[in-house]
Amino acid sequence: MGIAYLIVKVFYPPTSFSIVPIVSLIESPALGVIQLILLGLIVAFAYPVRTRVAGESLMVVRKLAIIAAVGYLVFSLLPVAFRVPYIQTYIGLVIAADVLNGVLAGVVSSII
């Protein structure tokens, strides 16, 4: 999402930095839409399988992609939930959100 911000910043300079797609939709709609499109493309990247056998064997990967994308939308709100003046804490919350998203997506995709 940071790369999406840099791309939007090149073409639309008044964009504020945000890696949270839901908040970006409100603060800077252009950035929010680009971030949601990127999440959709990441999920779509897991789907182009042409044979039925390969599609069935990769079903866990497809579930993981969907769960990770939805989890990212939820867990990316973690740094916004805690307002702190220190950049180190913000970066720590971003890392914690990514780790929690990975663990949750892995566990849920293996259970389902």
Side-chain angles (χ1 to χ4, degrees), residues 78-91:
L78 184 65
V80 179
F82 301 100
R83 293 284 179 176
V84 291
Y86 307 110
I87 188 70
Q88 296 91 341
T89 307
Y90 182 80
I91 292 170

Side-chain angles (χ1 to χ4, degrees), residues 3-15:
I3 294 171
Y5 163 74
L6 292 175
I7 292 169
V8 172
K9 187 73 170 173
V10 167
F11 296 106
Y12 189 64
T15 304

Side-chain angles (χ1 to χ4, degrees), residues 17-59:
F17 178 75
S18 177
I19 58 169
V20 184
I22 296 171
V23 174
S24 296
L25 280 173
I26 297 166
E27 292 178 358
S28 177
L31 179 60
V33 169
I34 296 295
Q35 288 176 338
L36 290 177
I37 289 172
L38 283 176
L39 272 176
L41 287 174
I42 290 169
V43 171
F45 184 73
Y47 274 85
V49 176
R50 295 187 180 179
T51 64
R52 185 175 179 180
V53 175
E56 291 174 3
S57 66
L58 293 175
M59 189 56 69

Side-chain angles (χ1 to χ4, degrees), residues 42-111:
I42 290 169
V43 171
F45 184 73
Y47 274 85
V49 176
R50 295 187 180 179
T51 64
R52 185 175 179 180
V53 175
E56 291 174 3
S57 66
L58 293 175
M59 189 56 69
V60 175
V61 175
R62 292 175 178 179
K63 288 180 198 175
L64 179 65
I66 292 172
I67 294 168
V70 172
Y72 181 78
L73 288 175
V74 174
F75 282 115
S76 67
L77 293 171
L78 184 65
V80 179
F82 301 100
R83 293 284 179 176
V84 291
Y86 307 110
I87 188 70
Q88 296 91 341
T89 307
Y90 182 80
I91 292 170
L93 288 170
V94 169
I95 292 169
D98 290 340
V99 169
L100 288 172
N101 184 28
V103 169
L104 178 79
V107 169
V108 171
S109 68
S110 66
I111 292 174

